[in-house]
Amino acid sequence: MSAVLAEDLTNSVLLTAIAAPNQATVLSDECIAFLTGLQEAFDSRRLELLAARVAKQARYDAGELPDFRPDTAKIRESHWKVAALPVALQDRRVEITGPTDPKMVINALNSGASCYMADFEDSTSPTWSNLIEGQIALRSACRGLLEYTAPVTGKHYQLVARDKQAVLHVRPRGLHLNEKHVLINGTEMSASLFDAGVFLFNNATTLASRDRGPYLYIPKLQSMEEAAWWNDVLGYVEQSLKLEHGSIKVTVLIETFPAAFEMDEILHALKHRIVGLNCGRWDYVFSYIKTLRAHRAYLLPERTQVTMTSPFLRAYSELLIQTCHRRGAHAMGGMAAQIPINNDVEANDEAMSKVRNDKLREVTAGHDGTWVAHPALIPLAKRIFDERMRGANQHHLLRHEVVVDQQDLLKAPYGTITRRGFANNIEVCVRYIAAWLAGNGCVPIHHLMEDAATAEIARVQLWQWMHTPGLSLHDGTLVNELLFQQCLFNLPSRLANQPDVIAREKIPQAIAMLEQLTESDVLEEFLTIPAYNELP
């Protein structure tokens, strides 16, 4: 049951959630006034951009295919570069990502990684307490004051010396999400503006005084117009907080299929503050499926068979490297989702071999850094980049030989759908949704760190397979409602034997949600939108 917590003096802002501990630390009256200004200045334009996404997808559903824009050819063909990169971001060879709870923030900053992306998006379930706790943790970390004591073990965590900490980046939620706990003039606030606004209001001046940005990761962009929106938002923030123009630096994740055709344009729209693009490959696979859902020619096999050596992913990665280096920006590699397997030496060796091969592929191709999901992978990834990347980055590798056209970015891999792969997609969806509804957005499942992006791949694959007439598994079984229900029926007994299942009490709710999402005639754009409506 929501309760009105606070109302500002102009009667335009309502906070509609049970108060989180120490909430006023990051949501002062001054911060709320700042958020109000952001929302009033930029939300209507955000809604127009979202409407443009819907219209674009309708054209794809009607038969059109994504392609490079003829109206922006001059941007792609002309010679220009982004602004010079700050010293703190010259070397980003290994980055770790994860949620924003205090223990994670301390461990990530102390991890030995070059950078830590504190994530309010795909690895955070946006309960009000998670959001506020995360903002408080980051505020304390930016001041060198964050400490944490584990309630059960009593183990104490504190930050290492500032010069040994990873450089902090923060990822706010995407443009498509609202923050239902903050109503401004009767309208739910943009989650992007809330996350970025609260972080920047509380920490930008502190970080700027230490030449640490502030730095953001921008998710889920689909076009240069959306990049321009962020550029204007951050310019407004700099002016409001009396920061030097261009001091807020951003890295943009290329994690939607339409954005792959506008990488030059996105860099150009943010050229005074962008420092790189990132291969957000799991969300990119999700977006590829979602964007091309009406085109049977681009049906993907089960997700374990979709790797970075798949034609469309290899082309995307190489085009990103070429584009970034031509413009003087970093080309960041993708996430290694593997986690250590402590009780099985052979399985652990196989998992680490996959990580090793993936990072070797990235550094050889010309990436300037990479992502890992677990601190134990940092030494492995760092060693590979140290051996192959002797300087701070690889901007000198211009990859002139790379030629990527529309068909290269579209080309799907060959593969199959096995019964095991079909059932595994269902299990991942149910387990992830259950954990997310219980407030956990980063979930280890079968030795992989699953977040919203990887769960989304499983979810949209199920929808697409179920809505493709005549589709069969590798063994000839027809993919239909009967198969789906059989797998669902068997799932609870399978999960009963798996001790690592999180939030078992939410499994029935998660099953019901997956049924609704999968059986609907209309593909839900994002799992997190209906799931968010289920959060208290």
Side-chain angles (χ1 to χ4, degrees), residues 452-467:
T454 52
E456 286 283 35
I457 297 172
R459 194 261 306 183
V460 296
Q461 281 199 319
L462 289 170
W463 184 92
Q464 188 182 40
W465 294 342
M466 294 278 290
H467 289 80

Side-chain angles (χ1 to χ4, degrees), residues 332-405:
M332 301 301 297
M335 168 68 76
Q338 287 81 5
I339 56 180
I341 306 170
N342 296 323
N343 57 356
D344 189 329
V345 173
E346 186 175 341
N348 187 67
D349 288 346
E350 183 180 352
M352 295 306 104
S353 178
K354 290 180 180 178
V355 175
R356 189 178 299 107
N357 291 339
D358 181 54
K359 301 314 168 192
L360 183 59
R361 175 195 56 79
E362 288 182 328
V363 72
T364 303
H367 280 291
D368 302 295
T370 190
W371 272 17
V372 297
H374 195 283
L377 301 186
I378 292 171
L380 172 59
K382 186 176 185 299
R383 183 165 61 251
I384 291 168
F385 269 79
D386 286 348
E387 290 171 355
R388 299 291 181 123
M389 188 175 83
R390 299 303 174 90
N393 51 63
Q394 302 195 88
H395 290 194
H396 61 283
L397 294 180
L398 298 177
R399 297 301 308 272
H400 291 303
E401 78 282 6
V402 170
V403 178
V404 172
D405 62 17

